């Protein structure tokens, strides 16, 4: 397992776990589950968050594969089943930041 961690400006966490044939991205969000909407279009996850009457949108680049997204108790989890190890490991900087204060 390979793990990457990023802390955003508000102290929130975005983690990416690489398991070879599966990638899991987890983000700790300071909002209720119903304030988060996630759509996956191709290899991009579009995350829309409503917070304090404002709406913020972020896009996350995903490896190619079958994708599912859930939000439970303020934790966004995106799981991607990949066919190839190089898709799961990725190349370059995969860091991303969710904009919760747009």
């Amino acid at each position: 397992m390979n793990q990457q961690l990023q802390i955003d400006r508000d102290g929130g966490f975005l983690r990416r776990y690489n398991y070879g044939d599966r990638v899991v991205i987890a983000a700790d969000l300071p909002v209720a589950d119903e304030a988060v909407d996630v759509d996956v279009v191709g290899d991009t996850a579009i995350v829309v968050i409503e917070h304090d009457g404002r709406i913020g949108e972020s896009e996350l680049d995903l490896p190619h594969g079958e994708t599912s997204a859930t939000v439970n108790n303020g934790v966004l989890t995106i799981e991607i089943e990949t066919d190839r190890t190089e898709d799961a490991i990725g190349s370059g900087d995969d860091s991303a930041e969710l904009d919760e204060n747009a």
Side-chain angles (χ1 to χ4, degrees):
M1 176 183 73
N2 183 6
Q3 175 184 353
Q4 295 176 334
L5 169 68
Q6 177 162 344
I7 302 173
D8 71 14
R9 64 185 169 269
D10 296 321
F13 291 101
L14 177 69
R15 294 185 180 101
R16 177 179 170 143
Y17 302 94
N18 297 311
Y19 295 103
D21 64 344
R22 181 170 60 110
V23 174
V24 177
I25 298 171
D28 183 18
L29 306 175
V31 296
D33 294 357
E34 49 278 349
V36 180
D37 187 32
V38 182
D39 289 318
V40 177
V41 179
D43 294 337
T44 302
I46 302 167
V47 182
V48 178
I49 300 172
E50 184 177 343
H51 186 60
D52 291 335
R54 295 181 294 172
I55 297 176
E57 180 179 314
S58 296
E59 294 184 4
L60 301 172
D61 291 331
L62 305 174
H64 181 72
E66 187 174 328
T67 304
S68 65
T70 60
V71 180
N72 189 16
N73 291 324
V75 177
L76 167 64
T77 304
I78 302 172
E79 294 190 42
I80 306 100
E81 297 291 331
T82 61
D83 293 332
R84 301 178 308 191
T85 302
E86 59 265 23
D87 284 342
I89 294 172
S91 60
D93 182 15
D94 291 327
S95 61
E97 189 172 296
L98 291 179
D99 183 7
E100 299 156 2
N101 299 309

